[in-house]
């Protein structure tokens, strides 16, 4: 009996304690989002501005002109006027070949001219004498005609001799090899006294460096944009030098006449001024080409976009410092920026701390990150950002893509 009485007393005491705790329990908020301390976040305001869509590719620097220097006659090298790597202008001498045989041929041809000129003078005197005699009926007209034929033949021989002199002089001019273009010399592959011929390997290569071209490929879907840019004067093409050595501004100069069926791309070229020799033939550079401008676009940081089960959302800070989820559609996303629909200009979009935020969460906004801090900064209007050709976005949960039609 005593055990039963003690058990009953304990039950009554426990029930009394539960009733005394009931008010405390009822005072606890039922919403898990509003419970606990405010979540620390940072935000960036959504911008509305014209956004330039650019395509990014890897291009190869190619010279507009590159000439391999070979002799036009077989001879030995008498003198070398150039150093390897030297900058030369059109017409400057590069090599001098042994021209003694050609000089002899010129002298021989000139002597033949003098000989035939003497024969011509004699034929002309004979013709004049025969004309006088025929007037006095001492000779027939046949003799005059024969002398006239002889004069005409000698005149033709003199003309042929003079042409032979010019041919010999042309052959002799081949002994002086000059730069056909302005550019930079490559490796000199011959030495003094070397025997060279037209079939020999190139003696040196002269490459034009200014202006210079960058060849790259564009997706087939951007062919019309490239053609329109070409018709309007080439548009704007930027070459991004490796290792952060800056950029160069150029313009589109060529679009190929066919699309590569294997890759679905079209080859294009852009022309750049290269007075500082920043672009070198054969080097790889990044290329950015503007294809269109999105008018009045809403721009947010890519880092603010969260991929949810029902699509992409961003969290914005509403009145009362509470977070709200806004479904968005990414129109164009690349680099640090994303052009979206679903938010308004000026909305405070949460960037850092978004992973700890739920709809209705009370947030405490901390100081904005500096320009050199962790992502989440939307670029200022007109700022140039790295824009890949068709790459994925770097923001968490955000995928990049081209402009939607």
């Amino acid at each position: 009996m005593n055990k039963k009485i003690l058990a009953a007393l304990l039950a009554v005491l426990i029930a009394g304690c539960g009733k005394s705790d009931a008010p405390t329990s009822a005072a606890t908020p039922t919403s898990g989002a509003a419970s606990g301390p405010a979540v620390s976040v940072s935000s960036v305001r959504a911008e509305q501005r014209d956004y330039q869509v650019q395509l990014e590719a890897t291009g190869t620097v190619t010279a507009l002109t590159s000439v391999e220097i070979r002799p036009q006659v077989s001879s030995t090298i008498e003198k070398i006027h150039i150093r390897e790597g030297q900058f030369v202008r059109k017409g400057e001498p590069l090599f001098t070949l042994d021209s003694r045989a050609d000089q002899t041929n010129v002298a021989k041809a000139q002597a033949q001219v003098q000989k035939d000129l003497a024969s011509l003078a004699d034929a002309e005197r004979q013709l004049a004498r025969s004309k006088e005699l025929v007037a006095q009926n001492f000779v027939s007209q046949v003799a005059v005609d024969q002398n006239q034929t002889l004069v005409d033949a000698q005149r033709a021989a003199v003309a042929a001799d003079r042409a032979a002199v010019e041919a010999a002089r042309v052959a002799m001019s081949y002994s002086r090899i000059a730069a056909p273009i302005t550019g930079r010399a490559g490796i000199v592959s011959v030495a003094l006294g070397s025997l060279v011929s037209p079939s020999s390997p190139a003696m040196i290569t002269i490459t034009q460096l200014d202006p210079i071209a960058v060849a790259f490929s564009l997706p087939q879907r951007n062919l019309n944009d490239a053609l329109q840019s070409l018709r309007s004067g080439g548009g704007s093409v930027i070459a991004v030098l490796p290792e952060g050595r800056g950029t160069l501004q150029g313009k589109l100069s060529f679009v190929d006449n066919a699309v590569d069926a294997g890759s679905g791309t079209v080859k294009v070229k852009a022309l750049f001024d290269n007075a500082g020799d920043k672009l070198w033939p054969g080097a790889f550079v990044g290329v950015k080409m503007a294809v269109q401008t999105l008018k009045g676009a809403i721009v947010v940081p890519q880092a603010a976009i969260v991929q949810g089960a029902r699509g992409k959302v961003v969290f914005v800070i509403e009145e009362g410092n509470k977070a709200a989820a806004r479904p968005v559609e990414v129109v164009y996303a690349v680099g640090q920026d994303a052009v979206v629909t679903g938010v308004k200009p000026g909305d405070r979009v949460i960037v850092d701390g978004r992973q700890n935020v739920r709809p209705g969460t009370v947030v405490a906004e901390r100081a904005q990150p500096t320009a050199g801090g962790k992502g989440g900064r939307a670029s200022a209007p007109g700022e140039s950002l790295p824009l890949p050709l068709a790459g994925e976005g770097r923001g968490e949960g955000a995928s990049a893509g081209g402009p939607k039609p």
Side-chain angles (χ1 to χ4, degrees):
M1 288 293 294
N2 291 336
K3 291 182 178 180
K4 292 181 179 181
I5 294 171
L6 289 174
L9 290 173
L10 288 173
V12 172
L13 289 173
I14 292 171
C17 291
K19 290 180 180 179
S20 63
D21 290 340
T24 303
S25 240
T28 302
T30 57
S31 173
S35 63
V39 177
S40 176
V41 298
S42 66
S43 68
V44 172
R45 291 192 179 273
E47 290 183 331
Q48 184 175 23
R49 57 185 170 90
D50 293 344
Y51 194 91
Q52 191 177 61
V53 177
Q54 292 181 317
L55 299 178
E56 185 175 272
T58 299
T60 304
V61 181
T62 58
L64 294 181
T65 307
S66 184
V67 181
E68 293 183 341
I69 306 300
R70 290 183 173 86
Q72 293 181 272
V73 294
S74 296
S75 185
T76 57
I77 297 177
E78 188 176 86
K79 191 172 183 181
I80 298 176
H81 304 275
I82 192 173
R83 300 185 308 275
E84 293 180 343
Q86 178 183 336
F87 179 83
V88 295
R89 297 190 178 278
K90 182 178 180 179
E92 288 187 9
L94 303 178
F95 303 93
T96 298
L97 304 181
D98 184 2
S99 61
R100 289 174 296 176
D102 294 320
Q103 291 174 356
T104 301
N105 291 334
V106 170
K108 181 179 179 181
Q110 289 175 335
Q112 185 64 40
V113 170
Q114 297 301 320
K115 177 182 177 181
D116 288 340
L117 282 174
S119 298
L120 174 61
D122 180 67
E124 288 176 342
R125 287 193 298 270
Q126 293 293 336
L127 176 63
R129 187 177 299 109
S130 63
K131 287 181 178 180
E132 292 176 358
L133 293 175
V134 77
Q136 299 174 9
N137 294 323
F138 289 126
V139 295
S140 66
Q141 184 64 34
V142 174
V144 175
D145 294 341
Q146 290 176 346
N147 288 331
Q148 182 66 54
T149 302
L150 182 60
V151 168
D152 293 340
Q154 285 301 119
R155 287 174 179 171
V158 170
D161 294 340
R162 287 173 175 166
V165 170
E166 292 301 318
R169 286 175 177 170
V170 170
M172 187 173 65
S173 70
Y174 293 154
S175 63
R176 181 184 180 273
I177 301 176
I181 61 171
T182 298
R184 187 180 179 90
I187 297 175
V188 178
S189 60
V190 293
L192 287 175
S194 300
L195 176 63
V196 292
S197 66
S199 60
S200 302
M203 303 163 68
I204 197 171
T205 300
I206 307 296
T207 302
Q208 180 182 349
L209 297 181
D210 184 27
I212 203 165
V214 175
F216 56 101
S217 297
L218 288 180
Q220 178 182 349
R221 64 178 179 273
N222 298 117
L223 175 58
N224 289 334
D225 295 325
L227 291 174
Q228 183 177 358
S229 177
L230 189 63
R231 295 187 191 104
S232 62
S236 174
V237 181
I238 298 174
V240 183
L241 304 179
E243 301 173 357
R245 292 188 286 111
T247 61
L248 287 178
Q249 186 82 25
K251 63 179 182 179
L252 192 67
S253 62
F254 166 77
V255 177
D256 201 1
N257 58 2
V259 175
D260 188 336
S263 61
T265 60
V266 59
K267 294 179 180 179
V268 298
K269 284 185 180 181
L271 195 64
F272 294 86
D273 291 331
N274 193 35
D277 293 340
K278 293 184 177 180
L279 296 177
W280 212 251
F284 293 98
V285 295
V287 180
K288 296 177 183 178
M289 177 179 170
V291 292
Q292 62 173 300
T293 300
L294 302 177
K295 300 290 186 180
I298 305 299
V299 183
V300 301
Q302 274 212 72
I305 301 175
V306 178
Q307 178 67 52
R310 297 183 179 179
K312 297 180 178 67
V313 298
V314 297
F315 287 101
V316 299
I317 302 175
E318 295 186 332
E319 294 183 4
N321 287 335
K322 290 186 178 181
R326 298 277 180 85
V328 295
E329 182 179 357
V330 178
V331 178
Y332 182 72
V334 69
Q336 297 179 2
D337 290 346
V339 177
V340 299
T341 59
V343 297
K344 299 178 181 179
D347 282 350
R348 292 185 294 167
V349 179
I350 297 175
V351 181
D352 291 332
R354 68 195 181 284
Q355 66 274 11
N356 301 322
V357 173
R358 299 293 181 271
T361 299
V362 177
V363 298
E365 192 170 3
R366 58 179 181 262
Q368 295 288 344
T370 61
K374 186 179 179 180
R377 177 179 65 86
S379 64
E383 181 180 359
S384 177
L385 295 173
L387 300 176
L389 176 62
E392 292 296 326
R394 297 174 186 170
E396 179 177 326
S399 61
K404 296 183 181 297

